Amino acid sequence: MQNNISLKPYNTFGIDVNANRFSTFSSIDELKSVLSERKENESLLILGGGSNVLLTKPFEGLVLKNEIKGFEIIEENDNEVVIEAGAGEIWHQFVLRCIEHGFAGLENMSLIPGSVGASPMQNIGAYGVEIKDVFDHLHAFEISTGEMKRFDKNDCAFGYRESVFKNIYKNQFVICRVAFRLKKNANLNTSYGAIENELQKMGITSPTIRDVSNAVIAIRKSKLPDPAVLGNAGSFFKNPLVDESLVEKIKATYPDIPNYPAESGKRKLAAGWLIETAGWKGKTIETRGVHKLQALVLVNYGGSTGKQVLDLSSEIIKDVQEKFGVTLEREVNIL
Ligand code: FAD
Ligand code: EPU
């Protein structure tokens, strides 16, 4: 257990605030042991790679960084495998390992930062695929009872950047192992336009799993900032789901507004387009700003406080609301 340490190395925004107490754990026994040292009513933060959090103040409590490792094939037949991975595995390394084995299903989600354990939290997704498409089950430690619980897909209520762990079970479970059902015979999903274009650029007509992964990596590198170079947490906002009538209203002024079919008869708008069209793309305010290549990404050029980034996001929400009548919702966890 460490006292009063800076969380700067543990969040991809690079926000420099302290935590009262900090420990890692690499097994369920170690988790139980550090939790036995938790003070009464002490706040608790379970951290993976810190790539989806904005720390707006010092964390007055106990931060536990998940380092549970593991990669195990727990079920296999001619067509499929189920792989259970430790929650502390680095997501992209796990994806690459599955690709090396020839297991398909995760390749579109290559290069997403963070840990395996956080992937079900917000049902991570990219380029036409979400965790829910390959998720089998997970094992989580219930903090109040000290018991392990299994969650199957139907227990998780996955939605667009949503799950029970972000809502009704927020802060109640520590996800320890996650299992994915992957295919041995690749059934590749290259329907996302950008992947098709990238494969064409690469001169590939019959792509392998690795080709799709490489295409996704190339697309991501071309527009998303590398957190090792520039502080950020990926998309700061969700793409908003709105009623058809609102899309029609906006179309009167902006006939080309991108919009896509979504859950429960709604339409999904591109938050990046709304923010760009409102004039924010590439805008810099002292130490922080809106990324010049992807307007959904807020960046910390160095030295920003979390509160300053949060205030910038509030200004953007207000402006987009005034200009389009659309309320943007933050995707990043604000702490
Ligand atoms: P953290 O930031 O450490 O934690 C996120 C939340 O989950 C916190 O509330 C934390 O308390 C909780 N948590 C973490 N681990 C556990 C656990 N084991 N048990 C219980 N609770 C836990 N996301 C996408 O969906 N698609 C993308 O394409 C994408 N691109 C990104 C690009 C960049 C450059 C960056 C920086 C981020 C991107 N993200 C994307 C967001 C981020 O990568 C994901 O949300 C990722 O799953 C976060 O993992 P993490 O381990 O860093 O989580
Ligand atoms: N767009 C703009 N300007 C911008 C950015 C986007 O006009 O600056 C418009 C364009 O019309 C573009 C459309 O938005 O066609 C979609 O853009 P893009 O393909 O880059 O995806 P996104 O909707 O901006 C989402 C996810 C990303 C994920 C990509 C790829 C959310 C909140 N974001 O971004 O996830 O990688 O799709 O699938 O759903 C993340 O969650 O952190 C993240 C990066």
Side-chain angles (χ1 to χ4, degrees):
M1 186 80 69
Q2 291 173 274
N3 291 314
N4 222 9
I5 73 152
S6 168
L7 292 175
K8 192 172 176 197
Y10 301 107
N11 74 97
T12 60
F13 250 121
I15 303 292
D16 192 4
V17 291
N18 278 11
N20 284 7
R21 304 203 300 153
F22 178 94
S23 178
T24 59
F25 62 96
S26 49
S27 67
I28 292 164
D29 282 344
E30 266 185 37
L31 171 64
K32 285 181 182 164
S33 160
V34 284
L35 281 175
S36 71
E37 292 179 47
R38 186 180 174 196
K39 298 174 188 163
E40 210 180 319
N41 296 325
E42 188 177 24
S43 303
L44 186 64
L45 171 63
I46 307 298
L47 211 52
S51 60
N52 206 24
V53 291
L54 178 67
L55 297 158
T56 59
K57 49 183 183 289
F59 191 76
E60 312 275 350
L62 173 59
V63 176
L64 296 181
K65 183 168 166 12
N66 190 333
E67 291 189 349
I68 297 177
K69 302 288 182 198
F71 181 99
E72 195 187 345
I73 297 177
I74 58 165
E75 222 184 285
E76 183 163 17
N77 61 34
D78 288 347
N79 304 314
E80 288 183 339
V81 284
V82 177
I83 301 193
E84 204 168 84
E89 291 285 346
I90 292 173
W91 174 259
H92 182 55
Q93 287 176 5
F94 170 64
V95 172
L96 293 181
R97 197 159 166 191
C98 291
I99 293 170
E100 263 163 39
H101 280 81
F103 302 150
L106 302 174
E107 55 282 353
N108 295 45
M109 294 181 282
S110 296
L111 209 63
I112 296 182
S115 60
V116 165
S119 66
M121 291 292 300
Q122 66 154 5
N123 178 29
I124 60 168
Y127 302 101
V129 180
E130 291 178 329
I131 275 295
K132 72 168 170 48
D133 304 323
V134 283
F135 179 89
D136 195 76
H137 66 267
L138 63 79
H139 296 280
F141 177 89
E142 190 173 28
I143 296 165
S144 62
T145 61
E147 281 172 17
M148 292 301 295
K149 295 232 161 117
R150 176 181 162 126
F151 289 81
D152 290 307
K153 190 153 134 182
N154 287 339
D155 304 323
C156 296
F158 288 127
Y160 167 60
R161 298 294 191 271
E162 282 297 345
S163 79
V164 283
F165 304 103
K166 224 179 156 179
N167 289 306
I168 55 169
Y169 295 144
K170 199 175 160 88
N171 298 329
Q172 292 182 38
F173 287 91
V174 181
I175 297 170
C176 295
R177 296 196 306 277
V178 190
F180 302 90
R181 187 171 287 274
L182 305 177
K183 299 268 183 259
K184 286 186 175 175
N185 304 308
N187 181 12
L188 300 173
N189 178 345
T190 56
S191 58
Y192 209 92
I195 298 186
E196 292 275 356
N197 293 343
E198 192 62 39
L199 287 169
Q200 251 180 29
K201 253 203 272 170
M202 291 158 72
I204 292 166
T205 45
S206 321
T208 61
I209 311 171
R210 192 177 292 277
D211 292 333
V212 174
S213 170
N214 285 339
V216 167
I217 290 171
I219 301 163
R220 295 182 68 95
K221 283 190 171 166
S222 73
K223 55 182 170 187
L224 288 167
D226 177 356
V229 179
L230 184 57
N232 77 95
S235 299
F236 199 90
F237 305 97
K238 290 185 188 182
N239 283 325
L241 306 184
V242 300
D243 289 333
E244 179 88 51
S245 56
L246 181 54
V247 181
E248 290 309 315
K249 205 170 146 204
I250 301 171
K251 267 188 181 169
T253 319
Y254 302 97
D256 297 331
I257 181 171
N259 65 102
Y260 317 90
E263 299 159 10
S264 21
K266 301 245 178 190
R267 305 290 298 176
K268 189 186 271 191
L269 299 180
W273 182 91
L274 294 167
I275 297 167
E276 177 173 348
T277 308
W280 287 92
K281 193 170 184 171
K283 223 176 205 182
T284 298
I285 297 113
E286 297 163 352
T287 51
R288 56 221 171 261
V290 178
H291 190 51
K292 60 180 189 301
L293 301 175
Q294 168 49 292
L296 254 191
V297 178
L298 301 191
V299 295
N300 170 18
Y301 293 103
S304 272
T305 63
K307 172 77 169 51
Q308 287 173 326
V309 175
L310 183 67
D311 287 348
L312 170 61
S313 73
S314 300
E315 273 188 69
I316 293 171
I317 291 173
K318 187 164 168 270
D319 197 32
V320 166
Q321 173 67 51
E322 280 169 12
K323 292 201 164 98
F324 303 99
V326 176
T327 309
L328 292 181
E329 194 186 323
R330 296 180 182 92
E331 193 233 68
V332 169
N333 297 282
I334 310 296
L335 291 163

